[in-house]
Amino acid sequence: MAKVRNFLFHRVSPNRDLLWDPMDVKLFELCLAYISRNFDIITIEDIPNIKKDRNNYATISFDDGYKDNIDYALPILEKYNIKASFYIVTNCIDFNTPTWTYILDYLFTHTLCQSIQLNFDFLPHTMRDVSFKQINSKIEYAKKLKPILKTLNHSQRSKILKEISLAFNDVELPKIMMNWDDLRKLYTLGHNIGSHTVTHSMLGTMDHEDDIRYELTTSRKRIKEELGFFPNSISYPIGSYNQKVIDNSKKVGYTIGIAVKQDIYQSTKDNIFEIPRIELYNESWLKTYLRINHTLEIIKQVFRYK
Ligand SMILES: [Zn+2]
C-alpha cells in the first residue's frame, strides 16, 4: 500500500494579516527543507501512477491562486527543485478579486461602517443587527460569522455575502491574485494547474446540479482557453463535496478530486476523488512539525478517547 502526505498551503508572505495570517516565508522554507529531506516529493497528479509499496510520498499544493505564491513561494520551490500543484478559482484570476472567504475577512477589517443589519431568519438572532463599538468587535463578529456561513446552503450564503458587500461598499478590495501570465509561467516551469471552481462556491452545499456543473465545467474551459489544456484535477473549495459532486466531477472529465482533511492518503482504501490534504498554517515550527508527521492528529485522538 502506498501512502502520500499531501500538504496544502494558501498564502505565503512576509506581511501579517489580523484575520487570516499568511504563512511566513521563513516557516515555508523550513517546511520545504524538512519535507524534501524526509519524503519523496511527487505531485498530486502523479498519485494514480505511484508504486504501491512506497509509503513516504509527499505532495505540495496551493489553493486559490494568490500572487504571493509566485512572489515568495516559487523561488523557494525552485531552490529545493520541487514541483507543486496550484488550484485556481477562475473568476478570481479573470477579475483579480480574492475569494469570498478572503473578502469577508477583508471587509470586516477595513470598513469604517459601525454596524451591520443582516435580517435573515437563517442567522442566529444575535447576529442580525449589530453595532460595533471598537475595531475588535468587528473582527470578533467576523470570526463568529464565518463558521456559520459555512454551514448554510449556497443560496443562503450568497444572500448574506451580497448584503455585506453592499453595506461595506466603502472598502476597495486588494489586488492579490495571480494573472494568467503568472499561471502560464508556473505551467512552463513544470508545475501543475488544476481547478478550484469558478467562484469558490462550496460544492457540497449546492442544491441544484446545474450550479455544480457550471462551477466544474466553466473553470475547466477557462483553463483550457488560457493555458491550452483541460485540467485533470478539481480541488473542492473549503473541502466541501458529496457524492453528487464526485459523480459530476467524473462526468465532466476530471480524474482526480481533492479535499481538505488532516489525513494521509492510502492507495488501498482511499478514493481518488477524495484525496485528503493536510493544511499547514502560520504556526510555531513545533506545531507544524507535528502536523507534517501526523503526530498532532494522533495526539488529538489520544486525548479525545481518553
Ligand atoms: Zn480555496
Side-chain angles (χ1 to χ4, degrees):
M1 175 184 62
K3 285 185 182 176
V4 190
R5 287 164 163 85
N6 302 296
F7 297 111
L8 165 62
F9 298 87
H10 284 87
R11 297 183 62 203
V12 176
S13 167
N15 305 318
R16 308 278 44 97
D17 192 314
L18 273 179
L19 269 178
W20 190 25
D21 205 22
M23 179 175 278
D24 189 70
V25 182
K26 289 192 194 94
L27 177 62
F28 180 71
E29 178 154 10
L30 275 178
C31 290
L32 290 204
Y34 180 83
I35 294 166
S36 62
R37 243 192 345 262
N38 291 282
F39 300 96
D40 282 348
I41 302 185
I42 55 171
T43 66
I44 289 183
E45 286 68 21
D46 293 328
I47 288 179
N49 311 314
I50 50 179
K51 290 201 184 89
K52 299 294 177 228
D53 56 346
R54 300 276 292 278
N55 63 9
N56 68 334
Y57 288 115
T59 71
I60 304 293
S61 62
F62 298 81
D63 275 2
D64 301 351
Y66 297 104
K67 189 85 173 174
D68 56 38
N69 292 176
I70 205 149
D71 292 340
Y72 299 108
L74 180 63
I76 300 170
L77 288 167
E78 292 196 310
K79 181 173 167 185
Y80 291 90
N81 198 19
I82 293 170
K83 301 298 176 212
S85 302
F86 296 83
Y87 301 108
I88 55 161
V89 183
T90 54
N91 267 5
C92 295
I93 304 299
D94 278 333
F95 305 111
N96 199 351
T97 49
T99 62
W100 68 263
T101 30
Y102 186 94
I103 291 176
L104 188 74
D105 288 346
Y106 195 85
L107 290 179
F108 275 97
T109 42
H110 290 79
T111 183
L112 298 175
C113 298
Q114 292 305 317
S115 64
I116 185 94
Q117 283 83 42
L118 298 171
N119 291 313
F120 298 104
D121 54 10
F122 43 81
L123 270 188
H125 276 284
T126 52
M127 304 290 288
R128 292 187 200 169
D129 189 352
V130 182
S131 24
F132 306 115
K133 301 279 181 284
Q134 317 112 344
I135 173 132
N136 266 359
S137 52
K138 265 182 230 173
I139 294 170
E140 289 310 311
Y141 181 88
K143 274 187 189 162
K144 259 192 249 165
L145 183 64
K146 209 173 185 180
I148 295 172
L149 287 184
K150 290 180 183 177
T151 66
L152 299 177
N153 75 27
H154 176 70
S155 69
Q156 292 171 328
R157 187 169 43 251
S158 303
K159 280 178 196 160
I160 293 180
L161 293 173
K162 199 173 160 199
E163 198 67 33
I164 295 171
S165 302
L166 288 172
F168 295 164
N169 64 3
D170 59 321
V171 180
E172 198 180 325
L173 292 174
K175 303 287 184 199
I176 55 164
M177 307 310 289
M178 286 193 271
N179 58 36
W180 290 109
D181 282 339
D182 296 327
L183 293 161
R184 268 185 281 276
K185 179 179 171 184
L186 288 174
Y187 185 61
T188 309
L189 289 169
H191 301 282
N192 288 318
I193 312 293
S195 169
H196 196 38
T197 75
V198 181
T199 67
H200 207 253
S201 289
M202 295 175 69
L203 299 173
T205 69
M206 294 178 122
D207 297 328
H208 303 293
E209 212 155 332
D210 286 352
D211 292 340
I212 298 174
R213 285 272 190 141
Y214 169 81
E215 294 288 338
L216 295 171
T217 53
T218 306
S219 57
R220 202 169 143 75
K221 274 189 215 145
R222 277 302 287 139
I223 291 173
K224 163 79 173 165
E225 280 164 12
E226 291 289 343
L227 305 179
F229 62 91
F230 283 116
N232 292 330
S233 35
I234 170 78
S235 157
Y236 314 120
I238 321 186
S240 168
Y241 68 95
N242 53 27
Q243 195 55 46
K244 201 159 55 177
V245 172
I246 293 179
D247 293 344
N248 277 287
S249 300
K250 282 183 193 168
K251 256 186 236 161
V252 306
Y254 292 105
T255 53
I256 297 172
I258 306 151
V260 187
K261 193 177 164 216
Q262 308 293 106
D263 210 349
I264 299 172
Y265 174 80
Q266 301 182 45
S267 62
T268 45
K269 77 175 183 57
D270 289 329
N271 187 331
I272 196 78
F273 277 87
E274 297 179 78
I275 293 180
R277 283 183 302 175
I278 300 163
E279 188 169 356
L280 299 177
Y281 309 92
N282 196 43
E283 298 173 318
S284 67
W285 168 244
L286 174 64
K287 214 164 171 190
T288 306
Y289 172 88
L290 294 176
R291 280 192 203 282
I292 292 173
N293 287 292
H294 206 56
T295 322
L296 199 62
E297 292 309 305
I298 294 167
I299 293 171
K300 274 191 203 162
Q301 279 171 17
V302 168
F303 281 100
R304 210 172 292 148
Y305 296 116
K306 220 172 101 175

